[in-house]
Amino acid sequence: MSDSPISDPAAILRHGVDPDRLRGLIERERAAYSARRPRSAALAAEARAHWFDGVPLHWMSDWGLPFPLFLGSAQGSTLIDADGIEHVDFCLGDTGAMFGHSPPPVVRAVAEQAARGLTAMLPSTLVPEVGRLLAERFGLPVWQATLSASDANRAVIRWARALTGRPDILVFNGAYHGMVDDVHVRLGPEGPRLRPGLMGQVYDVRRHTRVVEFNDVPALEAALSDRQVALVLAEPVMTNIGMVLPEPGMHEALRRVTREAGTLLAIDETHTISTGPGGYTRAHGLDPDFFVLGKPVAGGIPAAVYGFTREVAKGMAAARAADPGYSGLGTTLSANALAFAAMRATLAEVMTDAAYAHMTDLAAELAEGLRAVIRGANLPWCVTAVGARVEFMLAPAPPRTGGEAGRIGEPAIEGAIRLALLNRGLVVTPFHGMMLVAPTTTRQDVDRLLAGSAEVVAEIA
């Protein structure tokens, strides 16, 4: 387990934090966490016998805690751990439960479908309705379903290469598109490099993946100029390296440049679905060739979708004609009946205009409240937001590129704040300082988070 070591006191000071006070906070909060959670400690010890790193997914050990926090139950915006301690959840499964844990319409739909069958590799009777709901909401007329956004992004990359006959793709520096080999390329001082920590990669994906900085239109134009790039895969707002907002005109330029180069454009909305009912794409009038959405689309049941234009669909049909019945894409459990029941309930009954109005209004209050906390502590930090998604960043102004965003974080500070908030019954994401507001989040929940944040910041500033 990481204990957020303070390896560079000068870096801590640059962020307006006292290293000694930070060290003291970490020690106190780690001791308090361990003392209050004997059941989680026992489960962690037992799990280490058969699970790598003591958890079924190694990400679950990345919270910087003395041992993992084991889940007892979760409902709405309330998470109760294995020791019975209640928390207000602003992590929400890192977007997977963005509309609250176990929304009642999804629970009902899942229970009813489970009694009728889970999977049969046949289309559910709900397929036509879910397709209509997706098309109406997001604007793309044709769809396919997968189990995760990683699967969807892999499929989109493969289809784009097949349709264009081109070998390369382009991503933006610092973007995250899941467990997809092709996208793990970053910009270093001497040019593109494999992402540090990428395990078991046996070939150099830089051969067919190009990378430029977000908001750098001239670099994008240069990278596409030889007309060898099949696809640009982009988050409309970069979200997994901190939050990097598009500058005015960025998306218009992205669409213009890709069209001029004959390159297809995919918008990955897996995180930016926080923007509004139709995601960032509908809110800002984007016009992609592909659209990807995972995590929350089925209310927490594993599922994802990708949509595309009719022109793309025609090209896909022609490409499949070379070997009918086989494309090398898809998995047996993709588009299972249980996932479609959950998707229908989420799209029709959970992701409503009223839910988003509540989420975005309350998130705006949270963002302004956090700015006030930062100003009150005289810290050189900022707050960014996209709809219901809010993040504090350890820089005086929001970064404009992924490269800038990657240089401003400080794990010791972020980890200490996360741990201290957790001990105060407040859960934020284990990555950066991101928080989500759900339809089930209350103003009292936000006030509690702001009060806890002010208390923690006062201890270290």
Side-chain angles (χ1 to χ4, degrees):
M1 288 290 173
S2 168
D3 52 6
S4 298
I6 300 174
S7 58
D8 187 355
I12 302 297
L13 282 167
R14 281 197 298 273
H15 291 299
V17 171
D18 183 294
D20 292 331
R21 297 179 73 175
L22 179 64
R23 189 176 291 108
L25 176 73
I26 293 170
E27 291 174 357
R28 291 192 304 274
E29 298 297 338
R30 286 178 65 82
Y33 177 92
S34 298
R36 294 189 66 201
R37 294 175 171 84
R39 178 62 176 150
S40 273
L43 289 167
E46 186 178 353
R48 279 194 294 271
H50 299 292
W51 294 102
F52 171 70
D53 221 7
V55 287
L57 171 64
H58 66 271
W59 293 2
M60 294 175 179
S61 65
D62 288 344
W63 288 70
L65 304 173
F67 46 81
L69 183 73
F70 279 76
L71 173 67
S73 64
Q75 182 67 51
S77 293
T78 300
L79 184 154
I80 300 174
D81 70 18
D83 288 277
I85 301 171
E86 187 172 301
H87 307 74
V88 181
D89 191 3
F90 289 91
C91 173
L92 297 169
D94 190 29
T95 312
M98 192 177 81
F99 302 103
H101 295 284
S102 297
V106 176
V107 172
R108 289 193 298 270
V110 167
E112 292 170 3
Q113 185 60 52
R116 296 197 300 269
L118 303 176
T119 187
M121 221 176 85
L122 293 169
S124 156
T125 57
L126 297 174
V127 163
E129 181 183 3
V130 172
R132 175 181 58 79
L133 290 169
L134 289 167
E136 290 175 353
R137 180 179 291 266
F138 300 115
L140 280 295
V142 191
W143 293 82
Q144 289 281 271
T146 66
L147 283 175
S148 70
S150 293
D151 289 340
N153 282 323
R154 285 192 196 94
V156 165
I157 290 169
R158 293 270 298 281
W159 280 121
R161 285 170 166 159
L163 268 58
T164 63
R166 299 178 180 184
D168 295 354
I169 67 164
L170 182 143
V171 296
F172 290 106
N173 186 35
Y176 182 74
H177 300 288
M179 196 176 68
V180 181
D181 292 352
D182 304 74
V183 303
H184 292 294
V185 180
R186 296 289 183 268
L187 279 179
E190 299 179 358
R193 62 187 180 119
L194 296 180
R195 181 174 180 170
L198 180 62
M199 300 293 176
Q201 188 62 50
V202 298
Y203 69 92
D204 191 340
V205 298
R206 292 174 297 179
R207 291 169 51 193
H208 294 297
T209 298
R210 306 180 187 191
V211 57
V212 300
E213 291 286 10
F214 198 62
N215 287 317
D216 189 341
V217 175
L220 175 67
E221 290 176 324
L224 301 187
S225 62
D226 65 357
R227 303 180 70 85
Q228 290 300 300
V229 175
L231 179 78
V232 171
L233 178 58
E235 296 176 280
V237 174
M238 293 181 62
T239 61
N240 227 59
I241 193 166
M243 198 178 294
V244 182
L245 301 169
E247 293 181 341
M250 168 61 187
H251 278 293
E252 291 81 357
L254 174 59
R255 183 67 281 196
R256 173 183 58 79
V257 171
T258 50
R259 283 193 170 129
E260 289 174 352
T263 296
L264 296 169
L265 173 63
I267 296 294
D268 183 352
E269 290 260 18
T270 297
H271 285 159
T272 54
I273 191 62
S274 62
T275 308
Y280 196 95
T281 294
R282 267 292 169 90
H284 295 272
L286 308 189
D287 186 22
D289 301 294
F290 292 97
F291 174 102
V292 171
L293 177 59
K295 291 188 181 179
V297 71
I301 296 294
V305 291
Y306 61 100
F308 38 94
T309 65
R310 294 207 180 276
E311 182 178 0
V312 166
K314 291 178 183 177
M316 290 164 64
R320 282 196 68 197
D323 188 3
Y326 187 76
S327 66
L329 297 169
T331 59
T332 302
L333 292 178
S334 297
N336 65 78
L338 186 68
F340 266 73
M343 274 198 284
R344 193 220 66 83
T346 303
L347 291 164
E349 303 178 61
V350 178
M351 294 173 65
T352 64
D353 291 349
Y356 268 103
H358 172 86
M359 294 158 67
T360 54
D361 288 350
L362 202 52
E365 293 184 25
L366 172 59
E368 282 306 308
L370 287 172
R371 292 184 182 109
V373 167
I374 290 167
R375 285 194 302 270
N378 196 31
L379 289 166
W381 303 356
C382 67
V383 175
T384 51
V386 177
R389 187 182 183 97
V390 179
E391 186 160 343
F392 71 86
M393 303 186 74
L394 307 185
R400 64 175 298 272
T401 69
E404 289 180 16
R407 290 189 291 270
I408 67 175
E410 178 50 58
I413 297 173
E414 294 162 351
I417 292 173
R418 181 168 61 247
L419 173 60
L421 289 175
L422 185 61
N423 281 338
R424 288 155 178 78
L426 299 156
V427 183
V428 300
T429 56
F431 314 108
H432 315 292
M434 194 275 284
M435 294 144 276
L436 283 164
V437 172
T440 49
T441 306
T442 67
R443 183 164 279 101
Q444 290 75 21
D445 294 336
V446 168
D447 289 344
R448 184 175 166 187
L449 177 58
L450 291 173
S453 300
E455 180 183 335
V456 173
V457 164
E459 292 198 37
I460 60 176

